[in-house]
């Protein structure tokens, strides 16, 4: 009896998980794009600390971080942005519906990030002054997309 | 009865007096008579003051930021303002304005026809600008292209649709006093000039009272977003919790200390600040860290 009850309880829990996943078909995509964005932010943290002169300039570390950002930029595509996975419709999503209504421009913003991160890769490996100067161009590529396609948090 | 009549008369005199006081007060022609502008310096004033952020077309980027054809919409509690064309077009823009006309518009909020402008044009900040900077700005604006897009009328309800009402607002809120008064280091003083007279940081980051005036006792303490969604953050030192290097990096690249990137209307501000010399961004950072904390 106890066992039966426990099985019933467990299946109820599992059942509710399954239902929750069914209700939000975009969970994976949202998680994936958040992970990619956060990894770029983490790599930027390394070069940013050098730009602020909080840590000494290290060409190898800077180049690696910049290469990571460029690699992630090359992965970004509509795959992580399935239609409908938008703010207030998919859990935790801050992606604005304009992504799908102005898709060509959104893809252009991804292309712009690819060029900016490519240029930054050269700058970051050169010296501290080039790294500092290169940060603005890269930041501009992130901000241009966020301005148009991301709902600001409260 | 006698008393009543007196009260009415006094009221009329009072209202008349207020009306006289609240009339547009343009500058004397002498204010700019001896000035010649330097367009290269004026370009710095132009970016620092964010003219293009409001007067370029909606969604303009790059070179298009220099085409000041207007059309962006600014919702507020009083209705929607639509930025006019201030390109060099003589008919639809300000191509035939004198330097005095420009100085009156941006530092006094008075049009060439002698009418009040709405403070949606942030003259409450620009009122603190040096006349030489206005002259330089004028010279720079002269180098920009003409565009024949007609300006749109604002969408305002009565009584705010009446420009006379602005005179009273000006009497209450137009002041040349610094929000952060007192003697500052030369760097912080430069930062104050950029932040308060040109970049009008307070117009977004400071809450307003019922009449739409900035509550300077809560300077930079955060405010509701006039577009209706979210809040514009409190950027006083303790709440912000950033170092000077963090602020400089943000104003240069748009990256916050956790490397998220800037969003909303602040994107324009960062683009503008990034065009100034590094020393100016350092000055703004030093100023910001000197502002009293707001909880």
């Amino acid at each position: 009896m106890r066992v039966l009850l426990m099985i019933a309880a467990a299946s109820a829990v599992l059942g509710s998980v399954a239902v929750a996943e069914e209700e939000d078909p975009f969970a994976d995509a949202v998680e994936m794009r958040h992970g990619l964005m956060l990894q770029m932010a983490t790599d930027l943290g390394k070069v940013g600390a050098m730009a602020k002169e909080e840590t000494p300039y290290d060409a190898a570390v800077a180049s690696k971080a910049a290469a990571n950002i460029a690699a992630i930029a090359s992965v970004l595509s509509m795959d992580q942005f399935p239609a409908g996975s938008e703010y207030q419709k998919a859990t935790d999503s801050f992606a604005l519906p304009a992504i799908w209504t102005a898709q060509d421009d959104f893809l252009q913003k991804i292309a712009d990030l690819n060029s900016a991160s490519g240029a930054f890769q050269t700058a970051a490996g050169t010296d501290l002054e080039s790294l500092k100067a290169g940060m603005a161009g890269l930041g501009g590529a992130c901000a241009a997309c966020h301005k148009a396609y991301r709902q600001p948090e409260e | 009865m006698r008393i009543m009549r007196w009260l009415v008369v006094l009221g009329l005199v009072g209202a008349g007096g207020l009306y006289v006081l609240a009339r547009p007060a343009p500058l004397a022609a002498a204010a700019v008579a001896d000035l010649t502008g330097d367009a290269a310096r004026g370009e710095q004033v132009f970016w620092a003051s964010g003219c293009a952020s409001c007067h370029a077309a909606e969604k303009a980027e790059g070179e298009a930021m220099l085409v000041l054809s207007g059309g962006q919409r600014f919702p507020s509690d009083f209705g929607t303002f639509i930025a006019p064309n201030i390109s060099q077009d003589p008919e639809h823009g300000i191509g035939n304005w004198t330097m005095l006309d420009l100085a009156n518009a941006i530092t006094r909020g008075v049009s060439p026809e002698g009418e009040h402008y709405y403070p949606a044009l942030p003259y409450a900040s620009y009122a603190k600008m040096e006349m030489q900077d206005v002259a330089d700005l004028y010279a720079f604006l002269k180098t920009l292209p003409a565009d024949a897009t007609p300006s749109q009328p604002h969408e305002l309800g009565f009584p705010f649709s009446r420009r006379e009402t602005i005179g009273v607002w000006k009497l209450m809120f137009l002041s040349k006093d610094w929000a952060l008064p007192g003697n500052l280091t030369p760097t912080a003083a430069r930062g104050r000039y950029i932040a308060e007279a040109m970049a009008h940081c307070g117009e977004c980051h400071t809450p307003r009272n019922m009449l739409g005036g900035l509550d300077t006792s809560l300077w930079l303490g955060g405010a509701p977003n006039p577009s209706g969604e979210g809040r514009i953050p409190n950027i006083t030192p303790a709440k912000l919790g950033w170092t000077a290097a963090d602020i400089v990096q943000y104003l240069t690249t748009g990256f916050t200390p956790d490397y998220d990137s800037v969003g909303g209307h602040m994107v324009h501000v960062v683009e503008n600040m990034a065009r100034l010399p590094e020393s100016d961004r350092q000055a703004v950072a030093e100023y910001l860290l000197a502002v009293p904390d707001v909880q």
Side-chain angles (χ1 to χ4, degrees):
Chain A
M1 188 60 204
R2 285 267 291 278
V3 172
L4 262 181
L5 264 180
M6 275 174 72
I7 290 173
S11 62
V13 170
L14 286 174
S16 68
V17 169
V19 166
E21 291 209 326
E22 223 165 57
E23 275 176 358
D24 192 359
F26 300 121
D28 287 348
V30 171
E31 195 178 333
M32 188 150 53
R33 68 198 186 212
H34 283 173
L36 294 173
M37 295 286 164
L38 288 173
Q39 183 61 47
M40 289 198 289
T42 305
D43 282 303
L44 273 165
K46 294 177 193 156
V47 283
M50 293 179 201
K52 282 190 275 189
E53 300 184 29
E54 290 166 359
T55 58
Y57 175 70
D58 179 328
V61 175
S63 296
K64 177 72 177 118
N68 288 349
I69 296 168
I72 294 168
S74 76
V75 167
L76 288 178
S77 73
M78 294 317 288
D79 287 354
Q80 302 94 32
F81 292 93
S85 64
E86 62 193 62
Y87 177 59
Q88 286 176 339
K89 292 201 182 148
T91 314
D92 293 337
S93 171
F94 290 90
L96 290 175
I99 292 175
W100 299 278
T101 53
Q103 188 167 323
D104 289 348
D105 182 65
F106 181 73
L107 290 172
Q108 185 56 48
K109 296 282 189 286
I110 295 182
D112 293 346
L113 178 67
N114 276 281
S115 348
S117 56
F120 184 65
Q121 230 181 313
T122 317
T126 308
D127 57 27
L128 182 57
E129 282 317 303
S130 322
L131 180 148
K132 278 188 185 172
M135 294 274 296
L138 185 57
C142 313
C145 187
H146 291 165
K147 180 168 79 172
Y149 298 111
R150 179 185 175 195
Q151 168 66 30
E153 276 177 66
E154 290 278 304
Chain B
M1 193 57 211
R2 285 263 294 275
I3 289 188
M4 275 301 284
R5 200 172 306 155
W6 266 111
L7 282 178
V8 169
V9 171
L10 273 177
L12 282 176
V13 171
L18 192 60
Y19 186 74
V20 170
L21 279 172
R23 273 188 316 203
L27 295 157
V32 297
D34 299 330
L35 301 178
T36 29
D38 172 339
R41 286 195 70 250
E43 179 169 10
Q44 301 278 295
V45 177
F46 176 78
W47 294 119
S49 307
C51 314
S53 310
C54 290
H55 287 282
E58 196 87 51
K59 302 213 159 143
E61 284 175 41
E63 280 294 297
M65 290 297 285
L66 295 174
V67 183
L68 305 177
S69 53
Q72 280 188 56
R73 301 169 65 84
F74 300 94
S76 79
D77 290 348
F78 309 103
T80 297
F81 296 97
I82 302 174
N85 180 335
I86 62 159
S87 77
Q88 290 300 309
D89 190 275
E91 191 190 338
H92 297 290
I94 61 169
N96 55 16
W97 282 32
T98 63
M99 187 187 288
L100 184 64
D101 289 337
L102 181 72
N104 272 320
I106 69 173
T107 71
R108 292 292 174 101
V110 178
S111 74
E113 295 75 38
E115 282 197 304
H116 289 300
Y117 284 123
Y118 292 99
L121 157 61
Y123 52 77
S125 300
Y126 301 151
K128 303 182 178 77
M129 248 159 112
E130 307 280 348
M131 275 304 145
Q132 183 60 53
D133 283 339
V134 177
D136 293 342
L137 176 62
Y138 180 77
F140 177 68
L141 291 176
K142 280 278 162 212
T143 68
L144 298 182
D147 180 290
T149 310
S151 297
Q152 308 291 318
H154 305 309
E155 294 161 8
L156 306 171
F158 187 82
F160 306 112
S161 52
R162 304 280 316 175
R163 289 182 182 267
E164 293 85 343
T165 56
I166 306 166
V168 180
W169 187 93
K170 284 183 174 174
L171 278 180
M172 289 190 289
F173 303 118
L174 203 55
S175 147
K176 293 190 96 164
D177 297 339
W178 298 115
L180 176 62
N183 285 328
L184 304 178
T185 64
T187 311
R190 170 72 186 155
R192 173 169 67 188
Y193 182 70
I194 297 170
E196 294 194 19
M198 296 198 286
H200 56 276
C201 316
E203 301 266 347
C204 294
H205 286 280
T206 303
R208 291 176 188 275
N209 57 31
M210 253 169 53
L211 298 168
L214 293 180
D215 182 348
T216 47
S217 70
L218 297 173
W219 188 244
L220 303 183
N225 192 336
S227 74
E229 279 180 42
R231 277 184 74 79
I232 298 182
N234 179 338
I235 55 168
T236 60
K239 260 280 166 355
L240 186 62
W242 295 7
T243 65
D246 290 337
I247 298 169
V248 172
Q249 185 165 77
Y250 183 72
L251 296 178
T252 314
T253 67
F255 289 128
T256 64
D258 49 9
Y259 294 90
D260 199 337
S261 81
V262 59
H265 277 299
M266 191 60 197
V267 174
H268 280 309
V269 179
V270 168
E271 281 165 2
N272 294 336
M273 290 291 118
R275 294 180 195 256
L276 303 185
E278 171 96 9
S279 59
D280 277 348
R281 288 185 294 274
Q282 253 145 12
V284 171
E286 195 166 310
Y287 162 80
L288 217 51
L289 293 174
V291 169
D293 282 317
V294 174
Q295 276 326 301

